[in-house]
Amino acid sequence: MLSDKSFPVIQATLPLVGSRIGDITPKFYDRLFAAHPELLDGLFSRSNQRSGSQQQALAGSIAAFASHLINNPGSLPETVLSRIAHRHASLGITEPQYQVVYEHLFAAIAEDLADVITPEIAEAWTEVYWLMADALIKLEKGLYAAQANGKMWSPWKVASKTPAGTGSMTFVLEPADDTPVTEALPGQYISVKVTLPDGLRQVRQYSLSGAAGTSRSFTTKIDDGGEVSPVLHNSVKVGDVLEISNPYGEITLKDGDGPVVLASAGIGCTPTASLLRSLADSGSNRQVLVLHAESNLDSWALRGQMTHDVERLDAAELQLWLEEPQGGSNAGFMSLREVDLPADASLYLCGPLPFMKHIRNEAINAGIPATKIHYEVFGPDIWFAN
């Protein structure tokens, strides 16, 4: 809860800081990496820094968190904080790093707002930062403690590497040592660390695309905009050992017997395929509606797995949208206006951000409560406010 002293200060300065935060964060990262270049080796994504998406993520999260404190006094945005905490835990973020971020972020704020900042303003925004940081630290400690081992990274051997649609590849891994294995939940993801040709280590998160439990399989698209997937596709061979994290992610199948709608686009089918596989493996009687959108049929990375799992379920149905339609598919882009959504359904979304925003809006208009819409965001989470 924001203190009575800071509340009016944040309320008055939020429009200014919110409008400037996009300029503040590049200065922050410049300061951070100048002082701690080691953070680019195996932690921060260099490709996200180049594109500016990481700056947008930090800017959006801080401004939206402050806005929540003003608009919803006495509460925290727990769902969003949980999503961020899972991302942080999958990267091995530690408590001391929050102090490092604070020092360089507030130096950047002081530089950018030198003409207007006062000790009172600085103190109020410090309170906002540590309210958010302390909440995340607490969540992340709980996530680390729930793992079967105390390691951030464990070695796993590549057991198979199989093409999966145009430009995609499925990797199946097996443990390379005796580190205890945390049982993954359907829909969760792991971080994968590789060494780039220039020697820098980089990390990317991939949703587990097959059965959960103690197995590890994920599917990647080579042109996803990052630097890790090309290395996996072009350089990693069967028998090589990769460093991967424990499984994280809070978008997992909720208990119950109500209908489930799985909506995905492109490589976003990976977590929904995992959820679908878990339903099929358990012989679920739940009504399952699988919705997927692709450019063409050959691009559908997990086509065989998903169609097979739909056939295994008595109450499952598949609807497909293709920009190049064939085989009875819908033409063009997915729209829920064309779908007879089951009453009281839970919707799980994954795909490009514009796709998810569009489908989420249509789902709400169709009467699905926002609390029953679950989504996973690839890359930096710039959808904080939603």
Side-chain angles (χ1 to χ4, degrees):
M1 179 183 297
L2 196 59
S3 68
D4 292 342
K5 179 181 179 182
S6 294
F7 188 97
V9 178
I10 297 301
Q11 188 174 41
T13 59
L14 180 58
L16 172 62
V17 175
S19 69
R20 295 297 305 161
I21 200 77
D23 297 300
I24 291 168
T25 47
K27 297 175 183 176
F28 153 67
Y29 281 112
D30 287 344
R31 288 176 173 272
L32 178 67
F33 295 135
H36 297 277
E38 73 278 4
L39 293 178
L40 273 174
D41 184 25
L43 184 58
F44 283 90
S45 168
R46 183 168 63 179
S47 61
N48 289 339
Q49 290 296 317
R50 289 170 176 166
S51 69
S53 55
Q54 186 65 55
Q55 288 89 330
Q56 294 176 42
L58 178 65
S61 65
I62 292 173
F65 183 80
S67 180
H68 180 95
L69 296 178
I70 295 300
N71 296 324
N72 304 274
S75 71
L76 296 175
E78 294 179 358
T79 299
V80 174
L81 288 174
S82 176
R83 186 164 69 241
I84 296 173
H86 276 271
R87 292 288 182 184
H88 283 183
S90 75
L91 295 169
I93 298 295
T94 62
E95 183 174 351
Q97 289 170 334
Y98 281 92
Q99 179 63 37
V100 173
V101 167
Y102 167 76
E103 291 172 3
H104 295 284
L105 176 60
F106 275 76
I109 291 174
E111 175 188 349
D112 190 84
L113 301 177
D115 293 340
V116 296
I117 198 165
T118 65
E120 183 183 38
I121 293 173
E123 181 181 353
W125 280 96
T126 294
E127 182 179 343
V128 169
Y129 175 84
W130 283 111
L131 279 172
M132 184 173 177
D134 288 341
L136 290 172
I137 289 168
K138 180 179 179 180
L139 290 171
E140 289 154 22
K141 284 182 176 179
L143 293 174
Y144 291 137
Q147 300 298 329
N149 59 75
K151 295 183 178 181
M152 178 54 219
W153 301 100
S154 299
W156 287 64
K157 183 183 295 184
V158 179
S160 66
K161 176 183 177 181
T162 310
T166 305
S168 297
M169 194 80 67
T170 294
F171 294 80
V172 177
L173 309 180
E174 59 186 24
D177 68 4
D178 58 358
T179 300
V181 176
T182 298
E183 185 165 337
L185 299 175
Q188 289 192 310
Y189 53 81
I190 56 172
S191 290
V192 179
K193 184 189 293 184
V194 303
T195 301
L196 303 184
D198 62 4
L200 189 72
R201 294 176 301 170
Q202 288 284 270
V203 177
R204 190 173 181 90
Q205 288 119 351
Y206 295 106
S207 295
L208 297 170
S209 55
T214 56
S215 64
R216 299 290 186 265
S217 63
F218 62 93
T219 303
T220 78
K221 192 172 183 64
I222 190 171
D223 58 351
D224 61 8
E227 295 186 276
V228 176
S229 291
V231 172
L232 291 172
H233 280 244
N234 298 326
S235 302
V236 170
K237 301 180 289 296
V238 172
D240 287 351
V241 174
L242 297 173
E243 289 185 277
I244 71 170
S245 73
N246 289 309
Y248 292 97
E250 64 358 302
I251 306 301
T252 59
L253 195 63
K254 310 303 179 187
D255 292 335
D257 55 8
V260 176
V261 179
L262 306 174
S264 57
I267 200 62
C269 66
T270 52
T272 57
S274 177
L275 296 172
L276 178 61
R277 172 55 55 91
S278 72
L279 289 164
D281 284 349
S282 67
S284 175
N285 293 319
R286 299 175 73 169
Q287 182 181 359
V288 181
L289 181 57
V290 180
L291 312 175
H292 184 63
E294 279 287 354
S295 55
N296 57 66
L297 203 56
D298 291 337
S299 297
W300 187 3
L302 296 171
R303 174 187 174 189
Q305 175 181 322
M306 294 179 72
T307 54
H308 173 63
D309 286 341
V310 167
E311 292 169 357
R312 294 167 63 197
L313 290 165
D314 292 336
E317 176 189 352
L318 170 66
Q319 294 189 37
L320 184 64
W321 283 259
L322 299 175
E323 295 174 47
E324 302 171 18
Q326 64 183 94
S329 66
N330 298 298
F333 301 104
M334 184 188 299
S335 173
L336 297 186
R337 292 192 298 271
E338 307 166 21
V339 178
D340 184 15
L341 294 171
D344 198 33
S346 295
L347 172 63
Y348 294 83
L349 273 173
C350 191
L353 193 60
F355 162 80
M356 290 197 294
K357 285 189 171 182
H358 173 71
I359 297 301
R360 182 177 183 272
N361 287 336
E362 287 196 340
I364 289 174
N365 290 338
I368 296 181
T371 54
K372 302 197 75 170
I373 301 174
H374 315 283
Y375 62 91
E376 189 61 82
V377 179
F378 278 84
D381 188 352
I382 58 175
W383 197 6
F384 187 97
N386 292 333

